[in-house]
Amino acid sequence: MLKENIIKELNNQNLPLAREIRKKNKVSGSSDGAYSFTITGLKLLFPKISKKQLIDCITDDNLDGGFDAIFLLRGDKKIHIFDVKNAKDFNYKDLKFFKGSIKEYIFNKNSRLNGLDVKVKAKIKQVRKVVSNDWKILVYILRLGDDSPKNSVDNLFLELKNTYK
């Protein structure tokens, strides 16, 4: 419970920045709270992440294909892809969609991006340019709470991991 309270407090502190980023990125979907939780997660994982990098990497919106943030670290040759929900559970259906989006949009370079929001399209195009150049992809599923994913969810991502180099 203490962790949840700390995360909630961090989310509250990040609300002004969430509002600012949503406005700057002209986000019509999502919410300030969702953006705040995404910012909290990114800051916890990357303590030195800048405001500019946050603005650039958060893709959460109505037509984001399940990609809430895509963060490329050029020096490390790593692509960090995030599915973030301010919820306690690991919803199998949502995560199956997210896994499908990774396969379709990241690894299938012939896949059209027509149905996606402009911001996520641009990030996916950046990822596609470097994914075959020995860049490592890390997938993060962030939830609020101590629930662990069920085996069926673990198996989804194990399959994804075993399918691609």
Side-chain angles (χ1 to χ4, degrees):
M1 190 62 161
L2 179 61
K3 274 196 294 188
E4 263 185 62
N5 289 337
I6 291 170
I7 298 296
K8 286 179 183 177
E9 182 56 37
L10 291 170
N11 287 346
N12 286 336
Q13 289 176 16
N14 288 321
L15 267 174
L17 181 57
R19 288 183 189 107
E20 183 182 339
I21 291 173
R22 285 186 71 234
K23 185 176 179 179
K24 180 153 184 78
N25 287 346
K26 299 177 182 148
V27 175
S28 59
S30 194
S31 68
D32 293 341
Y35 259 62
S36 182
F37 187 54
T38 301
I39 291 167
T40 297
L42 287 164
K43 283 183 167 185
L44 288 171
L45 290 165
F46 308 99
K48 294 182 180 183
I49 193 168
S50 70
K51 181 176 166 182
K52 183 181 180 308
Q53 288 172 314
L54 287 168
I55 291 168
D56 181 60
C57 79
I58 299 175
T59 56
D60 187 23
D61 206 348
N62 283 337
L63 301 172
D64 62 15
F67 301 104
D68 295 318
I70 301 174
F71 187 37
L72 283 76
L73 284 174
R74 297 197 181 281
D76 295 340
K77 293 180 102 176
K78 290 182 183 173
I79 303 162
H80 303 269
I81 301 174
F82 293 83
D83 173 63
V84 184
K85 301 271 183 298
N86 196 352
K88 292 185 179 190
D89 65 327
F90 292 87
N91 182 296
Y92 179 83
K93 187 177 175 183
D94 289 345
L95 294 173
K96 186 173 182 180
F97 173 77
F98 180 54
K99 175 193 164 225
S101 289
I102 293 169
K103 287 177 73 172
E104 179 69 16
Y105 297 121
I106 303 297
F107 292 108
N108 181 358
K109 291 188 178 188
N110 295 322
S111 174
R112 294 180 181 257
L113 305 175
N114 296 349
L116 297 176
D117 181 72
V118 172
K119 183 153 176 71
V120 79
K121 277 185 200 180
K123 293 307 288 184
I124 290 172
K125 287 176 183 176
Q126 286 178 347
V127 168
R128 285 179 173 181
K129 286 180 184 176
V130 299
V131 76
S132 61
N133 296 333
D134 295 325
W135 281 54
K136 186 172 185 176
I137 295 178
L138 299 142
V139 176
Y140 300 83
I141 302 165
L142 304 180
R143 299 295 184 268
L144 180 64
D146 291 330
D147 290 352
S148 296
K150 295 186 175 24
N151 285 343
S152 56
V153 170
D154 283 338
N155 290 340
L156 275 176
F157 288 95
L158 185 59
E159 177 189 305
L160 184 69
K161 180 181 176 183
N162 290 333
T163 303
Y164 300 99
K165 182 177 165 186

